[in-house]
Amino acid sequence: MISIKNVFKRYKSGKIYVKALDDVSLNIEKGEFIFFSGPSGSGKSTLLNIIGCLARVTSGSYILEDKKVSHWPDHFISPLRRERFGFIFQQFNLISGYSAWENIALPLIPMGLSQKERRKKALLILEDLNLTTRADFMAQELSGGQQQLVAIGRALVNNPDIILADEPFSNIDARHVENFENILENLKNQGKTVIIASHFKEPITKLVDKTFYFKNGAISPKG
Amino acid sequence: MKKYLNLFLVAVQNLRRYKAKSITITIPIILMMAVSSFMMFSRGGFVKDAQMAREFLPDVTIQGIEAGRVGKVSLDIIPEIKEIPHVKAVAPRVWGYIPLKIDDLDISYTLMGLDLENIPDNPEFLEVMEDGSFLVPGDRNKVVIGYGVAQTLGFRVGEDIEQALELCTISKDDLKNVGDEITIEDTLGNHGKFKVIGILKNRVQVYSADLMIVSNDDARDFFGYTKNEASDILVYLDESGSADRAALMISQLFTNTRVMTAKALTNLVKEAFGRRSGTFSAMWLILFSTVLMFAWSQTTHISVDAGTEIGILKSFGWQTGDIIIVKMVESLLYGFLGTSIGILAGFVYALMGTPGISGYCIGCASIYPKFPVPVSCDAGSIILLLLIGVIPVTLITAIPAWLAGTIDPDKAIKS
């Protein structure tokens, strides 16, 4: 399903280039639960962003279901992001000034759904997450755990088949970890591909099918 | 279409969400457009005044010259003027300024005598009466006064009695009515008693505000003119007559006169304000460039929060074009909101009589303290002002909008 071949990624930081990924190759099958492990700056988040089409490769190729998407222009990439991927960020990245349901419905705005339709879809998601009572709370009024649930809801509202989560356990307490694991299990049972990046050395859940260890921008055989 | 409506609503919501930024950008636009609209409405008022007054002006006005200065004109020249081709009517006019002292205020009005027997019938006379009637041939000791004069002298005029009371020191119960008599005694010793038979409408403010119209004979008595003297002679032409040609002939025939066409007199008013509007135009240009640069700097600077927000939206499939549309609509709304409020503020300021700068606007024509700057507002002016305000602000923010739209989502989220 996902094929990463000899991918290099370099960032320009001031006058120097920083090597973020160094000849990375891997394959991920549909429905797999993947764990990217590695310390901060090891390249796991960069690869997650490349897979989610948020960043482009410097060289190498990224093939998604036989389509080489690594060099697609923005107007092809955007619908791909909207239809295929759901992102859960480390900082949740809810947008302040919007309510919980409005945050969840943000990806639906460019799809031309009316406010009524968007709210209906968002409320269904909030119901699944047991958060209906907080639908009209502003993002900044929610607790950390509730914010993460809303972030998950926003990632799922388009019913994507690939879920990408960057350090999803970093900003929630133990009480919510179990809740989140249940959600991930549901997603896996629905046949969705889940990729989690974390600084933890060992997989954080028994759901993981495959683990890739990152070190200095490359995949190492063992963490 | 629904997608664009959604993006429009997001832009509207962003104005509310980024209140501080919205206020920071909108206030300078409001100031710029308030100055601009006040200028346009006031200038329009002066021009409209001049155009309206043009309807009452004779085609040619002849003044006498005595020792190189404007003086009385002898009526002996009238028979010769009547012989000039296309001359329809000739009427002498006696007028002058009457300096008065009312309630410690130094006021100067214009007392004008009209030779109604010789002035061609003008149906417009019926249109300009606020109250009462205009003079008819043979009237003596009767006066028609301007709206501004009526207010200052304490006549019951217009709907806003409270405003009228502010202009005089008379109590509400003592307000005078059309039909009452007034005694005019100026500081030069001239005096007369007149019955007020009508009040002119406010529509020709520059010309009617300080005007008192009496018969020519009454004016002669008041100013001490002889039967053979007048302040000027009014010449009316038939429709095929050329005012310029007639004026040229008159000035060649009578070298000791000053001859002016109606067009020249109208232009005097326009030019007088034109020079002043030039000052405001320069001020406005400086303000305009400052506002554009400010709008540019404000929209170019994308805060970390706003950048992250754009990155998040793009990660959920928002396209570069979607972000640009939202940013452009935001700019359009800033421009529209600022311009609309500015136009309203400018209009209200002009209606309030441009406090603080009215003396400069009216200049030496400032007859008495409460003289208002004339205001004219029409749909064309408002549309023009909206275009002036909205288009440049929207265009100048096109590049910042594009910069915001093309932010790399990966970098934006990391920031």
Side-chain angles (χ1 to χ4, degrees):
Chain A
M1 185 193 195
I2 292 170
S3 178
I4 301 290
K5 287 182 181 169
N6 308 112
V7 163
F8 288 82
K9 176 70 182 176
R10 281 173 176 73
Y11 289 113
K12 197 178 179 189
S13 176
K15 286 184 178 176
I16 57 162
Y17 281 92
V18 178
K19 190 172 67 181
L21 288 176
D22 188 12
D23 197 14
V24 171
S25 298
L26 57 81
N27 287 300
I28 297 168
E29 297 304 322
K30 184 175 166 53
E32 279 188 322
F33 199 115
I34 304 296
F35 186 65
F36 289 171
S37 169
S40 179
S42 61
K44 58 188 188 307
S45 294
T46 303
L47 186 60
L48 204 67
N49 285 346
I50 286 174
I51 292 171
C53 299
L54 288 185
R56 291 176 186 277
V57 300
T58 306
S59 67
S61 60
Y62 165 29
I63 297 160
L64 176 68
E65 288 177 341
D66 302 326
K67 292 179 187 106
K68 194 175 175 181
V69 298
S70 40
H71 293 93
W72 277 12
D74 181 66
H75 58 276
F76 284 127
I77 287 287
S78 295
L80 192 70
R81 281 191 210 124
R82 187 165 58 229
E83 289 157 16
R84 304 294 304 273
F85 299 103
F87 280 92
I88 301 164
F89 300 101
Q90 181 180 357
Q91 304 292 338
F92 315 139
N93 282 336
L94 298 188
I95 296 181
S96 61
Y98 285 122
S99 65
W101 83 262
E102 283 172 327
N103 262 285
I104 288 175
L106 279 173
L108 307 174
I109 287 176
M111 293 169 72
L113 269 68
S114 70
Q115 191 185 22
K116 200 175 168 185
E117 292 166 323
R118 295 201 305 271
R119 184 175 163 87
K120 195 176 166 187
K121 276 199 158 202
L123 288 178
L124 283 174
I125 295 278
L126 282 167
E127 201 177 321
D128 287 345
L129 299 168
N130 290 323
L131 212 60
T132 315
T133 54
R134 296 288 184 270
D136 293 311
F137 278 47
M138 301 308 277
Q140 57 273 26
E141 294 168 350
L142 300 170
S143 69
Q146 289 166 341
Q147 284 192 30
Q148 197 205 33
L149 287 175
V150 172
I152 294 167
R154 187 176 60 183
L156 301 178
V157 72
N158 272 338
N159 195 24
D161 55 350
I162 303 166
I163 311 297
L164 306 166
D166 193 4
E167 299 282 6
F169 298 99
S170 296
N171 286 309
I172 52 171
D173 53 40
R175 188 162 52 97
H176 288 98
V177 169
E178 194 183 341
N179 190 17
F180 185 50
E181 273 188 307
N182 291 335
I183 292 167
L184 292 174
E185 189 171 2
N186 271 340
L187 293 172
K188 185 179 163 112
N189 291 340
Q190 287 169 30
K192 295 186 189 297
T193 306
V194 180
I195 307 172
I196 287 178
S198 170
H199 64 278
F200 291 119
K201 280 193 175 177
E202 295 303 321
I204 40 176
T205 161
K206 58 185 186 307
L207 300 166
V208 171
D209 296 313
K210 220 187 267 180
T211 301
F212 294 96
Y213 296 98
F214 285 76
K215 195 174 179 183
N216 296 329
I219 293 176
S220 67
K222 186 73 183 154
Chain B
M1 196 63 203
K2 269 186 180 175
K3 170 185 168 175
Y4 296 107
L5 177 67
N6 286 349
L7 295 177
F8 176 82
L9 293 174
V10 168
V12 173
Q13 211 166 357
N14 282 351
L15 256 62
R16 182 180 57 79
R17 291 174 54 231
Y18 294 108
K19 270 189 206 116
K21 185 184 174 186
S22 303
I23 292 169
T24 311
I25 294 179
T26 312
I27 284 179
I29 301 175
I30 291 174
L31 283 176
M32 173 184 81
M33 293 316 297
V35 171
S36 179
S37 58
F38 137 72
M39 276 165 53
M40 185 169 278
F41 294 145
S42 301
R43 187 185 178 280
F46 275 103
V47 171
K48 196 175 160 195
D49 253 24
Q51 282 165 348
M52 280 181 168
R54 172 78 176 80
E55 294 165 11
F56 301 100
L57 285 174
D59 297 303
V60 179
T61 303
I62 307 164
Q63 292 179 325
I65 302 285
E66 288 175 355
R69 298 177 66 183
V70 175
K72 294 172 184 170
V73 61
S74 167
L75 305 192
D76 293 341
I77 65 172
I78 289 180
E80 274 186 81
I81 293 170
K82 281 183 176 171
E83 297 301 315
I84 293 171
H86 301 295
V87 169
K88 187 171 69 177
V90 181
R93 183 172 65 176
V94 178
W95 66 276
Y97 297 117
I98 48 171
L100 302 172
K101 206 164 184 70
I102 299 177
D103 302 324
D104 293 332
L105 286 176
D106 288 318
I107 291 172
S108 180
Y109 290 144
T110 304
L111 185 83
M112 183 175 287
L114 288 183
D115 181 358
L116 290 167
E117 284 84 357
N118 289 304
I119 290 176
D121 286 341
N122 189 344
E124 291 285 344
F125 280 147
L126 300 173
E127 302 283 321
V128 297
M129 299 310 297
E130 171 75 23
D131 195 5
S133 57
F134 200 74
L135 297 167
V136 293
D139 273 347
R140 290 300 305 261
N141 301 318
K142 290 179 182 173
V143 65
V144 171
I145 57 177
Y147 195 94
V149 177
Q151 283 186 315
T152 314
L153 294 183
F155 272 79
R156 191 181 294 278
V157 64
E159 291 173 6
D160 193 351
I161 299 295
E162 297 303 324
Q163 191 197 347
L165 286 172
E166 278 180 25
L167 298 170
C168 62
T169 53
I170 293 172
S171 70
K172 200 171 179 176
D173 297 333
D174 295 332
L175 280 172
K176 297 189 186 82
N177 295 299
V178 169
D180 288 352
E181 282 197 336
I182 55 170
T183 301
I184 303 169
E185 190 165 355
D186 70 16
T187 54
L188 302 173
N190 301 316
H191 58 87
K193 198 171 185 180
F194 301 95
K195 180 180 176 183
V196 177
I197 62 163
I199 295 169
L200 296 170
K201 270 185 185 168
N202 200 21
R203 56 180 268 216
V204 192
Q205 294 182 11
V206 170
Y207 288 88
S208 71
D210 72 326
L211 202 57
M212 306 173 94
I213 303 171
V214 295
S215 71
N216 240 2
D217 289 335
D218 284 340
R220 266 197 196 94
D221 291 346
F222 190 88
F223 291 114
Y225 278 45
T226 66
K227 282 275 180 192
N228 199 39
E229 289 173 338
S231 308
D232 44 34
I233 293 172
L234 316 179
V235 180
Y236 297 88
L237 304 174
D238 62 28
E239 283 183 8
S240 57
S242 157
D244 289 336
R245 200 173 301 151
L248 182 66
M249 285 182 76
I250 295 165
S251 59
Q252 284 171 346
L253 279 171
F254 311 106
T255 50
N256 60 337
T257 57
R258 186 167 82 156
V259 185
M260 289 168 293
T261 60
K263 190 178 163 189
L265 283 170
T266 311
N267 285 344
L268 269 178
V269 174
K270 288 184 186 173
E271 280 176 23
F273 188 72
R275 272 194 294 277
R276 292 178 173 86
S277 72
T279 309
F280 285 104
S281 298
M283 273 172 52
W284 183 78
L285 263 178
I286 295 165
L287 197 56
F288 181 66
S289 347
T290 311
V291 167
L292 288 188
M293 283 190 286
F294 184 72
W296 166 271
S297 66
Q298 283 294 310
T299 46
T300 310
H301 170 74
I302 299 164
S303 66
V304 173
D305 282 352
T308 307
E309 188 176 313
I310 292 168
I312 295 165
L313 293 174
K314 287 183 113 178
S315 75
F316 294 119
W318 281 54
Q319 291 184 329
T320 299
D322 299 334
I323 306 285
I324 292 175
I325 288 172
V326 169
K327 293 290 163 194
M328 289 294 285
V329 173
E330 278 177 29
S331 299
L332 191 76
L333 291 170
Y334 288 139
F336 186 76
L337 202 68
T339 302
S340 305
I341 298 173
I343 290 174
L344 193 67
F347 183 67
V348 170
Y349 182 65
L351 273 187
M352 285 166 66
T354 62
I357 57 169
S358 60
Y360 179 74
C361 288
I362 301 164
C364 61
S366 183
I367 309 299
Y368 59 95
K370 297 291 185 180
F371 183 83
V373 173
V375 179
S376 170
C377 171
D378 54 52
S381 306
I382 291 173
I383 291 169
L384 184 65
L385 283 167
L386 279 172
L387 294 178
I388 288 171
V390 176
I391 292 178
V393 173
T394 309
L395 287 182
I396 199 111
T397 52
I399 294 172
W402 178 80
L403 288 173
T406 51
I407 284 179
D408 185 1
D410 178 33
K411 285 180 190 164
I413 293 169
K414 277 182 182 167
S415 68

